[in-house]
Amino acid sequence: MIQKIQTLSGYIHEYQKSITQPEEFWGRVAESFHWQQKWDQVVSWDFEKPDVKWFLNGKLNITENIFERHLYTLGDKPAIIWEPNDPSEASITLTYRELYEKTCQFANAMLEQGIQKGDRVIIYMPMVPEAAIAMLACARIGAVHSVVFAGFSANSLADRIIDCQAKAILTSDGNFRGTKTIPVKAVVDEALEKTRTIEKIIVLKRTNIEVTMKEGRDIWWHEAIEGVSTAHQAEVMDSEDLFFILYTSGSTGKPKGVVHSCGGYMVYAEYSFANVFQYSQGDVYWCTADIGWITGHSYIVYGPLLAGATSIMFEGVPTHPHPGRFWEIVDKYKVNQFYTAPTAIRALQAYGLDPVEPYKLDSLKVIGSVGEPINEEAWHWYHDHIGKGKCPIVDTWWQTETGGILISPIAGVTPTKPAFATLPLPGVQLMIVDNEGNELKGNGVEGNLCVKFPWPSMLRTTYGDHERCRQTYFSSFKGLYFTGDGVKRDHDGYYRILGRVDDVINVSGHRMGTAEVENAINEHPKVIESAVVGYPHDIKGQGIYAFAICDLEGRTEASLKEEIKQTVSKIIGPIAKPDQVQIVSGLPKTRSGKIMRRILRKVASKDLNNMGDTSTLLNPDVVEEIIKGAGL
Ligand code: WT7
């Protein structure tokens, strides 16, 4: 297992080594894994192409590193503890041995259903143990999983199926979330009206709602595993074989499939998990994310299980059946490391301290934050009332593309600072550049956050479109990976993330492209043109504000606004639904016809200072009208 960093000087030493001798450094970390064949070169890279490879010609299977590597010592230890949506339903504990057997059995079942190495498999499932089993079984046979958050619409699901030409879908009849029962299989059926590649659907029975099963294509999960062997020899994977695809939004067009590969992802997932959270054997760790996001991949499933940890999986929502549910679960399982998102913290903070007070929370050692900048107020509330002033907060900055945490305190080892992600992990070589790409050296600087050297779990490509990967991440600043985030390095050298500098909005820690939301709005027959911007939102971090030019004939403004919201919800999913819609007669445009989003952002955030010169616009009058229309 990985040797954890234990002291501040240990961190400084390890960081130095990782940048002066990266090959030796990562080679040594990788030694603690089980390789069927050792690599013959640690790294080869070229950010211009981009072409990045780690542990070249190494052969491995990540599930052997989760199971076979641990079974003798940890076979009877809980791997996953599952807490259901309804607290009166029994929880489920799967030991490493049980999870291993279920993974192997489902791997065999998938093979029997004709799913093979290299096939793309969509996982569209609720937060149940079978979702983790589905991921692990894909990894076991070398099928490429693409998990799609079960809150996405049929249309979004179809886009992803088409983009990766998926052969199979692993899903469930329905999904329990809070007081709702959500039909899941029905959404899959609707998506499939638009796609042609799916040959097999395996359906888990979770809610017992009625579903349609298509003869020959659809099979129940429990029938697929009936009588199937629980022994399976792991597929041999090359270090650079495609491991999984995860779709994420950008500033243009449709979501892109971020591609991660086998060897580097494995090494970095365990390394970052063990260090950041300082997990010790016997600890109980809980990350509240959904497996549909990268956080669920790296820090519910792969990182913790590689480290032999006990990982809690929670099916429900933070406020059901009461706003103390998170804290109740922390006490119930004596959680030691708790990892959640600022939006959840702020939402719970809004209920005051009554829901927190009944709970001891004294098992907690480390509390974490991820997904968006955590504001100081939420940081202090989390620190004082959840961590009781004694737990370091690990504010972890990373992205779907980075595969693992790049900037974060190491719990109890390196210092914390409210609202700062603080310092890079070993192996992570950051660079701040101005808009012309000049490096901003020294402390007390602010600019665009880039990385100048590869790290093992970085994305390798965007599925089916390598040029898009190059354009998006490697062309803004020559020779650098550009994150899309603005950052400040303060006088002490600590990093504070300032948020996106591109047309991406971060809603409750979920990434939305403004163009993507606009495209959805424009699908409404009464909409002529639209522009979407983010604005500060108390709970969500950022809310979605849409300006739309519409043909109002036959509608009232109120009914049309509601229809527009519903259109987005239907096309992308409820998470993309605009918080505000304003009907306008025109959008502020430059003489070349470009929408001046800066002005719209000012209006949406109710801040009319520094509007800048609007007289050079194509249509300066429209600004006054928009300001009035916004009630300002
Ligand atoms: C974007 C990545 C990484 C898993 C969850 C989101 C923002 C993420 C932080 C943080 C400030 C953060 C960035 C980043 N972000 N973590 N600790 N502090 N901002 O993954 O959907 O790929 O989004 O989330 O803007 O670029 P994602």
Side-chain angles (χ1 to χ4, degrees):
M1 236 168 276
I2 296 232
Q3 282 245 298
K4 283 180 290 183
I5 299 168
Q6 282 164 354
T7 59
L8 182 57
S9 61
Y11 163 74
I12 294 166
H13 176 82
E14 192 142 329
Y15 188 80
Q16 276 309 323
K17 174 149 192 213
S18 77
I19 61 171
T20 52
Q21 298 168 294
E23 307 221 351
E24 249 173 61
F25 175 79
W26 285 115
R28 196 205 59 205
V29 174
E31 293 279 355
S32 61
F33 291 82
H34 170 69
W35 298 82
Q36 289 154 350
Q37 178 188 303
K38 202 181 157 176
W39 61 90
D40 47 44
Q41 187 182 339
V42 173
V43 61
S44 92
W45 65 291
D46 174 350
F47 275 2
E48 304 277 319
K49 287 189 174 128
D51 179 20
V52 174
K53 296 190 175 78
W54 280 90
F55 310 113
L56 287 78
N57 297 317
K59 307 283 179 213
L60 73 145
N61 187 294
I62 193 168
T63 68
E64 281 191 336
N65 282 276
I66 289 172
F67 299 120
E68 280 88 340
R69 186 166 62 133
H70 295 320
L71 281 179
Y72 281 117
T73 48
L74 303 174
D76 296 323
K77 176 180 171 168
I80 290 178
I81 298 176
W82 175 74
E83 171 72 14
N85 178 61
D86 175 356
S88 65
E89 190 183 338
S91 65
I92 294 175
T93 298
L94 295 175
T95 64
Y96 271 86
R97 185 166 296 106
E98 288 164 340
L99 184 61
Y100 170 59
E101 286 172 359
K102 286 183 185 294
T103 296
C104 288
Q105 184 179 49
F106 194 65
N108 285 325
M110 281 203 292
L111 290 168
E112 274 184 23
Q113 298 301 320
I115 303 166
Q116 296 165 358
K117 180 176 182 174
D119 288 342
R120 272 81 57 218
V121 176
I122 297 278
I123 299 177
Y124 188 71
M125 291 182 77
M127 285 288 289
V128 289
E130 286 82 358
I133 292 166
M135 293 167 75
L136 293 163
C138 286
R140 188 83 184 171
I141 66 173
V144 175
H145 61 63
S146 184
V147 185
V148 177
F149 174 58
F152 275 120
S153 67
N155 181 72
S156 293
L157 176 60
D159 282 348
R160 287 155 172 78
I161 294 169
I162 294 166
D163 189 78
C164 72
Q165 298 179 297
K167 184 179 188 180
I169 303 183
L170 312 176
T171 188
S172 69
D173 52 354
N175 180 1
F176 292 126
R177 271 183 86 71
T179 53
K180 295 187 212 139
T181 302
I182 298 158
V184 177
K185 174 62 164 59
V187 178
V188 171
D189 292 341
E190 193 189 331
L192 262 56
E193 286 168 17
K194 296 194 188 162
T195 70
R196 309 160 154 263
T197 54
I198 298 297
E199 292 170 20
K200 243 334 132 193
I201 306 183
I202 306 182
V203 188
L204 180 78
K205 205 165 248 192
R206 171 66 189 122
T207 57
N208 276 312
I209 53 170
E210 208 162 315
V211 296
T212 11
M213 299 288 279
K214 188 171 164 189
E215 190 65 53
R217 185 195 66 187
D218 303 355
I219 177 170
W220 288 106
W221 185 294
H222 57 268
E223 284 169 7
I225 60 173
E226 206 175 87
V228 172
S229 161
T230 56
H232 176 269
Q233 182 61 48
E235 186 68 45
V236 179
M237 304 301 285
D238 185 87
S239 199
E240 281 302 326
D241 275 344
L242 212 170
F243 179 19
F244 67 81
I245 304 170
L246 187 57
Y247 284 85
T248 190
S249 296
S251 47
T252 53
K254 289 198 170 167
K256 48 192 173 294
V258 168
V259 167
H260 285 288
S261 62
C262 295
Y265 177 86
M266 169 180 80
V267 170
Y268 200 81
E270 183 181 342
Y271 180 79
S272 55
F273 171 76
N275 277 302
V276 168
F277 296 99
Q278 291 286 304
Y279 183 87
S280 299
Q281 274 312 322
D283 285 349
V284 175
Y285 161 89
W286 180 22
C287 166
T288 68
D290 190 283
I291 51 142
W293 314 113
I294 190 70
T295 310
H297 286 58
S298 302
Y299 301 112
I300 293 178
V301 180
Y302 294 116
L305 296 181
L306 282 163
T310 297
S311 180
I312 293 185
M313 222 177 144
F314 175 43
E315 182 181 36
V317 296
T319 49
H320 177 77
H322 58 81
R325 185 77 194 276
F326 271 8
W327 322 129
E328 181 180 71
I329 297 172
V330 167
D331 275 9
K332 178 174 177 185
Y333 298 107
K334 302 203 170 14
V335 170
N336 303 110
Q337 290 89 7
F338 175 72
Y339 190 27
T340 195
T343 186
I345 298 166
R346 288 190 299 261
L348 296 175
Q349 188 183 355
Y351 287 91
L353 290 175
D354 286 354
V356 184
E357 259 145 25
Y359 306 102
K360 289 216 206 63
L361 305 180
D362 57 350
S363 55
L364 290 174
K365 297 196 281 192
V366 177
I367 54 180
S369 169
V370 61
E372 55 176 312
I374 178 167
N375 48 309
E376 285 194 38
E377 198 195 342
W379 195 97
H380 285 291
W381 189 85
Y382 195 31
H383 181 262
D384 297 350
H385 301 295
I386 306 307
K388 310 290 182 197
K390 66 177 177 49
C391 302
I393 295 183
V394 289
D395 176 1
T396 62
W397 176 86
W398 57 298
Q399 309 178 295
T400 305
E401 294 84 348
T402 70
I405 298 165
L406 295 197
I407 311 179
S408 170
I410 292 178
V413 172
T414 63
T416 63
K417 189 166 190 168
F420 279 71
T422 71
L423 299 170
L425 294 195
V428 176
Q429 303 193 31
L430 306 174
M431 191 192 274
I432 305 182
V433 299
D434 65 16
N435 289 344
E436 282 66 55
N438 304 306
E439 179 172 10
L440 301 174
K441 293 195 177 131
N443 291 340
V445 294
E446 210 176 292
N448 301 302
L449 179 61
C450 297
V451 191
K452 64 179 175 195
F453 193 86
W455 64 99
S457 64
M458 69 186 293
L459 86 162
R460 299 299 194 262
T461 187
T462 45
Y463 192 78
D465 192 350
H466 193 63
E467 174 55 17
R468 192 168 175 201
C469 172
R470 194 191 66 77
Q471 280 266 338
T472 312
Y473 307 105
F474 297 91
S475 71
S476 306
F477 305 109
K478 199 172 157 56
L480 300 175
Y481 167 80
F482 176 45
T483 63
D485 278 316
V487 71
K488 161 181 167 168
R489 187 165 50 220
D490 75 357
H491 291 284
D492 300 322
Y494 293 120
Y495 290 85
R496 177 182 188 147
I497 305 299
L498 303 172
R500 305 288 304 197
V501 296
D502 51 9
D503 287 325
V504 168
I505 356 186
N506 191 325
V507 185
S508 303
H510 303 316
R511 207 199 289 191
M512 297 307 328
T514 50
E516 201 185 338
V517 181
E518 287 161 7
N519 290 343
I521 292 175
N522 298 347
E523 292 276 310
H524 191 288
K526 292 280 186 185
V527 173
I528 296 157
E529 195 183 359
S530 66
V532 162
V533 295
Y535 71 100
H537 187 288
D538 283 350
I539 305 284
K540 298 177 173 183
Q542 280 191 297
I544 300 179
Y545 198 119
F547 297 87
I549 306 174
C550 303
D551 162 17
L552 270 164
E553 208 196 305
R555 303 283 204 290
T556 64
E557 273 211 16
S559 66
L560 189 54
K561 285 180 185 180
E562 192 48 38
E563 284 178 35
I564 289 173
K565 291 183 185 178
Q566 289 313 324
T567 304
V568 178
S569 195
K570 175 95 184 95
I571 293 181
I572 305 176
I575 51 172
K577 188 156 105 182
D579 299 277
Q580 309 273 352
V581 179
Q582 184 179 341
I583 313 267
V584 295
S585 69
L587 293 165
K589 286 190 179 167
T590 62
R591 290 187 190 272
S592 59
K594 230 178 117 187
I595 297 174
M596 291 283 284
R597 284 168 193 284
R598 192 175 51 79
I599 292 173
L600 298 176
R601 274 195 286 267
K602 286 272 178 192
V603 174
S605 52
K606 300 194 187 323
D607 167 20
L608 299 184
N609 297 319
N610 309 319
M611 285 290 276
D613 184 12
T614 54
S615 64
T616 57
L617 291 177
L618 199 60
N619 47 355
D621 298 346
V622 85
V623 178
E624 258 329 287
E625 182 217 296
I626 292 175
I627 292 172
K628 273 214 196 80
L632 300 174

